[in-house]
Amino acid sequence: MNCPLANVEEVFATAQGAVYQCSRKNCYWLEFQHTTTAFRISDFFSFKKRIDAINVASMIDDASRRSDFEIVMPFRTERCFLLAVQDILALREILAGAKFMIELNSEVKKMLRKGSVLAS
């Protein structure tokens, strides 16, 4: 699922990573931990829900070594994320920002369509 760079637009970015949208392939690209992962639209939102569901408080409270990291393998990708608490928090910030921008863009487009119908 390779997208030429000319067709990719930034959705949201932080110092830790970014989300890009490719209209040509109808997908989102997550740039995180020095790699890029492509997601179908529905898989992107499922991945966000999965990251949001990780219990960071229990990871912090648990003194055992097995709670230091969370392994997440997104659906329909070849990527495996090994996430420490700070990685999970950074990824949540990126995904939440991207979701907000996607929803904001959708609402703006709705309002513009309504405005053009009313203006006619």
Side-chain angles (χ1 to χ4, degrees):
M1 194 186 271
N2 291 331
C3 295
L5 290 175
N7 295 317
V8 178
E9 295 179 24
E10 183 179 289
V11 174
F12 184 80
T14 68
Q16 289 79 32
V19 173
Y20 301 94
Q21 179 179 8
C22 177
S23 300
R24 185 175 187 191
K25 295 281 186 177
N26 201 25
C27 66
Y28 291 108
W29 288 85
L30 171 65
E31 184 178 86
F32 186 71
Q33 294 180 329
H34 309 292
T35 60
T36 307
T37 308
F39 290 91
R40 294 179 182 177
I41 294 172
S42 61
D43 295 340
F44 177 79
F45 290 108
S46 295
F47 178 69
K48 182 190 179 313
K49 285 181 185 178
R50 192 165 172 197
I51 296 300
D52 290 343
I54 297 171
N55 189 341
V56 173
S58 72
M59 288 177 72
I60 294 170
D61 290 340
D62 190 343
S64 67
R65 290 180 61 188
R66 66 180 169 80
S67 69
D68 289 344
F69 294 94
E70 185 76 26
I71 298 172
V72 180
M73 297 178 69
F75 188 58
R76 284 192 273 255
T77 70
E78 296 179 9
R79 177 74 197 274
C80 177
F81 290 89
L82 179 62
L83 304 169
V85 171
Q86 65 269 24
D87 298 326
I88 294 166
L89 297 176
L91 189 53
R92 282 182 180 174
E93 180 183 8
I94 295 165
L95 297 174
K99 182 180 181 209
F100 175 79
M101 294 305 291
I102 292 165
E103 290 173 349
L104 178 63
N105 188 41
S106 177
E107 289 299 315
V108 168
K109 285 183 179 180
K110 278 186 204 175
M111 297 304 278
L112 289 174
R113 278 192 297 257
K114 283 183 182 179
S116 66
V117 170
L118 294 175
S120 298

